[in-house]
Amino acid sequence: MLALAINAGIPIVTCRTTDLLNLPEVLEHITAKPQQKLAGAATKIAPNHATLYVSTGPIPVDKGVYESYLAKDSTLLLVNPDEDIPLAFDAGEVPVPLELMEHYLSAVTEEVGVFIKLAAGLTIKEAVEIIKLAQAKYGTLTPDGFREIRARVAGGQQGLSQVPTDHGFYRPAPQLVEWVTHNGDYFLAPKDPRLIPRGLLFDGPPGTGKTRGAKYLAEKWGLPLYRLDLSSTLGKYVGESEGNLTNLLNTIDREEPCILLLDEVEKLFGERDDSGVTSRLLSQLLWWLQEHTSRVLTVMTTNDKKALPPELIRAGRIDTTISMDPLDKEDGKVFAREVLAQFIPYPEEACTEVLDLSVENHYAVLKGCKVEWPLVAHAELIALVHDLIKAHKWV
């Protein structure tokens, strides 16, 4: 859109970039126009339609400036403006020409095709910095090292954190295993963008493995997992919160392919304020969930699906809901033995007997205040096994 706006001769254009270092080279590549850098008042120059005028600092823009550039079929490009400029056309983020990225990557690796995919959405400056960090940490440049450093850099923003995908013992729900297996190729190597999975909702009581399910998915697909904390985007100035969320969502878009976790999403909709900021943030998030074209799979978790508004979980924002159910007594025994086997590959019969008895007693205690046999969360049984191991010094 930036190249189109400039070549069309739109008088005033704004754009955004974090790579001012390589901006002149990028602009030359996409417009083929000579550039003149401006500082101060834009009215002091006589616009020429063959020249692109660029300012990376504040320049007053009024009707007279607009009309002077319009008359000369020329363009004034304002980079990273501090405020909205009503007379300007917003061209969004400055694109990175593929040929330029290939040129810079070819200087450090022979696997240009591999790293071009890994660097999707990055500026040249960001890609070079990640390469240097990966080389400094690992002594060499590998796809895994590049991916790991990129995930760390993206997760350093307030409100967006990278979540480790190691999850200890986990028994995924059969429906989740089936979904991950069936949809992997459509997300990781899509042949048609219309078939790319968009999101999942994990529904179930606390402790049933919903967050671990997101970690399992990210680990199976070999992707970074990020958690978005909407409350951390709140600012004290008008429009600041919405701007913060926009920046975070833009970052997530650049990190494709990846998994985005919205944990306990019902709490996002349960909090309201008189200023209307929360409602605007949620509207902004709903729009992104529906319209984003990046390969970002959104995983939402909830303890109470009934508390969610229908528009959040409709088709187009999520693909399906997967229930994470607690365990009955017999399945609880099997689960507890599987947890124990992670510590003692071949547990002695005595250990198994003590474990089964403890599980029986745990369910029996809970049954005392219930009419039927209770259901127990996975996390509760894992804690029970850990306590038994420590108490009997099995490990």
Side-chain angles (χ1 to χ4, degrees):
M1 188 60 70
L2 177 60
L4 181 62
I6 293 172
N7 292 329
I10 292 181
I12 311 294
V13 177
T14 61
C15 67
R16 295 177 296 277
T17 183
T18 59
D19 189 3
L20 294 176
L21 177 66
N22 297 289
L23 179 63
E25 186 177 6
V26 171
L27 291 176
E28 181 181 358
H29 190 91
I30 66 176
T31 68
K33 283 189 174 186
Q35 302 163 44
Q36 181 174 331
K37 188 175 180 179
L38 297 184
T43 54
K44 293 182 179 180
I45 60 104
N48 184 322
H49 77 278
T51 301
L52 173 63
Y53 300 89
V54 182
S55 172
T56 56
I59 285 186
V61 175
D62 55 22
K63 183 179 178 182
V65 172
Y66 184 94
E67 290 178 344
S68 66
Y69 279 84
L70 178 62
K72 296 293 185 178
D73 193 24
S74 186
T75 298
L76 170 62
L77 180 64
L78 304 175
V79 184
N80 299 334
D82 294 331
E83 57 186 19
D84 290 337
I85 301 175
L87 292 172
F89 173 81
D90 184 3
E93 291 286 329
V94 175
V96 179
L98 183 62
E99 296 84 357
L100 281 183
M101 185 64 82
E102 288 177 340
H103 169 72
Y104 279 89
L105 290 177
S106 64
V108 294
T109 179
E110 295 180 355
E111 300 179 88
V112 175
V114 173
F115 286 93
I116 277 290
K117 293 180 180 178
L118 295 177
L122 294 176
T123 65
I124 293 171
K125 175 177 176 291
E126 290 167 339
V128 170
E129 289 173 345
I130 290 173
I131 287 170
K132 290 181 178 295
L133 289 170
Q135 289 174 324
K137 180 173 181 179
Y138 300 108
T140 186
L141 179 63
T142 66
D144 286 342
F146 186 97
R147 189 182 294 112
E148 191 268 340
I149 294 297
R150 176 173 180 171
R152 287 196 178 194
V153 171
Q157 296 189 48
Q158 182 177 355
L160 188 66
S161 57
Q162 185 186 4
V163 180
T165 56
D166 54 310
H167 47 68
F169 175 74
Y170 181 66
R171 184 207 284 178
Q175 187 183 357
L176 176 58
V177 175
E178 180 181 358
W179 191 91
V180 170
T181 302
H182 180 69
N183 286 275
D185 288 342
Y186 291 99
F187 188 82
L188 298 174
K191 295 181 180 179
D192 189 321
R194 293 171 296 182
L195 299 178
I196 298 175
R198 299 190 67 82
L200 292 171
L201 176 67
F202 294 162
D203 178 33
T208 51
K210 298 186 295 297
T211 301
R212 289 194 179 197
K215 293 182 177 184
Y216 164 82
L217 197 163
E219 183 184 56
K220 292 293 288 185
W221 284 359
L223 299 177
L225 173 64
Y226 299 103
R227 178 178 179 270
L228 177 63
D229 180 7
L230 195 63
S231 63
S232 295
T233 66
L234 298 177
K236 59 183 180 180
Y237 300 110
V238 175
E240 183 179 359
S241 302
E242 294 87 336
N244 291 339
L245 180 57
T246 295
N247 291 336
L248 291 178
L249 294 177
N250 286 338
T251 297
I252 283 294
D253 283 330
R254 293 197 300 270
E255 293 307 304
E256 65 169 342
C258 66
I259 312 294
L260 178 64
L261 175 62
L262 299 176
D263 218 2
E264 297 184 333
V265 72
E266 72 276 5
K267 294 182 179 179
L268 302 180
F269 288 86
E271 298 177 0
R272 293 290 186 270
D273 58 71
D274 294 336
S275 68
V277 172
T278 302
S279 296
R280 291 197 297 273
L281 290 178
L282 293 175
S283 296
Q284 189 176 351
L285 180 61
L286 287 173
W287 176 259
W288 179 84
L289 289 170
Q290 176 68 34
E291 298 297 329
H292 76 86
T293 57
S294 55
R295 278 189 297 151
V296 178
L297 183 79
T298 304
V299 175
M300 306 182 203
T301 73
T302 181
N303 300 325
D304 184 9
K305 182 181 177 181
K306 295 179 181 179
L308 301 178
E311 63 269 22
L312 177 66
I313 55 177
R314 68 171 175 80
R317 292 191 174 117
I318 68 164
D319 297 88
T320 190
T321 298
I322 295 177
S323 297
M324 305 288 193
D325 299 320
L327 305 170
D328 61 23
K329 184 178 68 170
E330 293 307 316
D331 202 18
K333 286 183 183 179
V334 175
F335 181 84
R337 292 173 195 154
E338 292 174 348
V339 176
L340 179 62
Q342 303 300 305
F343 295 89
I344 310 173
Y346 303 100
E348 298 180 4
E349 185 177 346
C351 295
T352 303
E353 290 178 357
V354 171
L355 177 63
D356 286 351
L357 180 60
S358 297
V359 173
E360 284 270 5
N361 290 339
H362 185 69
Y363 276 83
V365 168
L366 294 176
K367 184 178 183 295
C369 57
K370 298 187 178 182
V371 177
E372 299 178 352
W373 282 106
L375 299 176
V376 175
H378 303 65
E380 194 171 342
L381 288 171
I382 291 174
L384 175 64
V385 175
H386 290 180
D387 288 342
L388 279 174
I389 291 173
K390 295 174 184 176
H392 294 277
K393 299 187 184 300
W394 289 336
V395 174

